Amino acid sequence: MTTINGKGDAFVPPLVSIISGGIAGGVEAAVTYPFEFAKTRVQLRQEKGEKPPRNPFKIVGQVYRQEGIRALYKGCGALVTGSVAKDAIRFVSFDSVKNAFKDPETGTLTYGRSMLAGMAAGVLASGTAVTPTERIKTALIDDARHDKRYKSAVHCVKTILKEDGPIGMYRGFAGTTLKQASATSFRMGSYNILKDFEQLRDIEQTTVVNFGNGAVAGTITTLATQPFDTIKTRSQSAKVTTTMEAIIGIWKDDGIRGFWRGTIMRLGRTVLAGGVLFTTAEAVARIITPIYEKAPAVL
């Protein structure tokens, strides 16, 4: 929804970024959740002798047969709520930092500064929205495998606060922040680099082009940041685990390969998610920007 150089690089009003980013985040999370569920399941510590399939479709099918359709959306509400807040913050902070980083004379933004703007947006999103909601989602998915203590997302939050205090909501903060900083840097940065390249060559920004750019950005993001995602998932399981304990546990279980566990599942989700996220954000921005411009005093 933003560009970094050349034509079409205009100031994006913060309210437009918040609304378009929030709506896009909620839509993306809801549409792609079964992939997120499968990826989280395979990243969690397995019981002795338990070997889950690596194919996400097999995991989805297995859970559906054994536990029903509702099980596939365990923790979805928390993720959707968090994604609305996360992407609203991520888009508005990225656009704000991007505008601050522009060359004051030419109005352009280098590729390096575009990536840095994405990193700053990721850190802010992690601290304000992502870590707590990811903690709830992961704990719900982990708990549903065996203990089944949590009756709902609200009950999960109450239990975590009772047993571990407020810090319990921020378990995995280091891993989540590393993941968010790097992921947002790669996703937002690479998307804007692709978009800028196309605009310099007069390639029309259609829905198909937006979706393709988002899918490519999602692929780059997944391959570059998977270890952080695996560490984050382990440290946010139902059982209290520190980031260092998660790293040691992954290494003991699977060695270096363990840090890329769930890559195929996450790749399946992020390719679709990247396309949905940026396509939705661009579409919403196109709708609300004229409204904003016509009624600045109200908005």
Side-chain angles (χ1 to χ4, degrees), residues 135 149-150 156-172 235-242 245:
R135 166 70 163 127
R149 293 193 306 152
Y150 304 143
C156 175
V157 172
K158 290 180 179 179
T159 304
I160 290 172
L161 291 174
K162 181 179 179 181
E163 296 178 350
D164 205 19
I167 195 174
M169 298 300 296
Y170 278 85
R171 290 288 177 190
S235 58
Q236 291 182 326
S237 61
K239 180 183 177 182
V240 174
T241 307
T242 66
E245 287 172 341

Side-chain angles (χ1 to χ4, degrees), residues 41-273:
R41 269 277 179 109
V42 82
Q43 286 178 329
L44 290 165
R45 183 182 293 275
Q46 307 302 321
E47 294 295 318
K48 193 171 183 180
E50 184 181 25
K51 281 218 165 203
R54 294 179 181 273
N55 185 322
F57 296 105
K58 286 186 178 180
I59 290 183
V60 170
Q62 184 182 78
V63 172
Y64 173 74
R65 289 192 301 272
Q66 295 177 354
E67 304 173 51
I69 188 67
R70 290 184 62 185
L72 288 173
Y73 283 87
K74 195 76 172 178
C76 181
L79 186 68
V80 169
T81 301
S83 292
V84 170
K86 172 191 74 176
D87 285 303
I89 293 168
R90 193 159 61 171
F91 272 83
V92 72
S93 57
F94 177 79
D95 285 332
S96 299
V97 175
K98 175 182 74 72
N99 289 326
F101 281 179
K102 286 180 183 176
D103 186 300
E105 295 183 0
T106 64
T108 60
L109 187 68
T110 64
Y111 296 146
R113 287 190 174 188
S114 180
M115 301 293 281
L116 186 59
M119 187 177 295
V123 172
L124 183 60
S126 176
T128 55
V130 180
T131 302
T133 53
E134 285 282 336
R135 166 70 163 127
I136 297 167
K137 177 213 72 177
T138 305
L140 283 167
I141 293 175
D142 187 28
D143 177 74
R145 295 188 303 162
H146 303 294
D147 296 336
K148 295 181 173 57
R149 293 193 306 152
Y150 304 143
K151 300 174 183 177
S152 64
V154 173
H155 182 249
C156 175
V157 172
K158 290 180 179 179
T159 304
I160 290 172
L161 291 174
K162 181 179 179 181
E163 296 178 350
D164 205 19
I167 195 174
M169 298 300 296
Y170 278 85
R171 290 288 177 190
F173 175 73
T176 303
T177 302
L178 285 171
K179 176 205 167 185
Q180 285 300 313
S182 56
T184 306
S185 177
F186 280 105
R187 176 177 279 191
M188 305 292 279
S190 58
Y191 178 84
N192 280 269
I193 289 170
L194 286 169
K195 187 174 178 180
D196 180 63
F197 176 83
E198 292 160 355
Q199 288 183 327
L200 290 174
R201 285 152 183 79
D202 294 319
I203 298 174
E204 185 181 356
Q205 294 298 295
T206 64
T207 298
V208 174
V209 172
N210 292 155
F211 191 95
N213 289 346
V216 171
T219 301
I220 294 171
T221 300
T222 299
L223 297 177
T225 64
Q226 185 61 28
F228 298 135
D229 187 72
T230 305
I231 294 168
K232 181 269 304 178
T233 297
R234 277 291 186 95
S235 58
Q236 291 182 326
S237 61
K239 180 183 177 182
V240 174
T241 307
T242 66
T243 298
M244 188 53 65
E245 287 172 341
I247 293 172
I248 293 171
I250 294 167
W251 181 267
K252 284 183 176 179
D253 289 348
D254 294 302
I256 191 68
R257 293 175 58 188
F259 291 94
W260 272 268
R261 183 179 284 277
T263 298
I264 295 175
M265 292 140 198
R266 186 170 172 233
L267 192 60
R269 176 179 183 262
T270 52
V271 168
L272 176 60

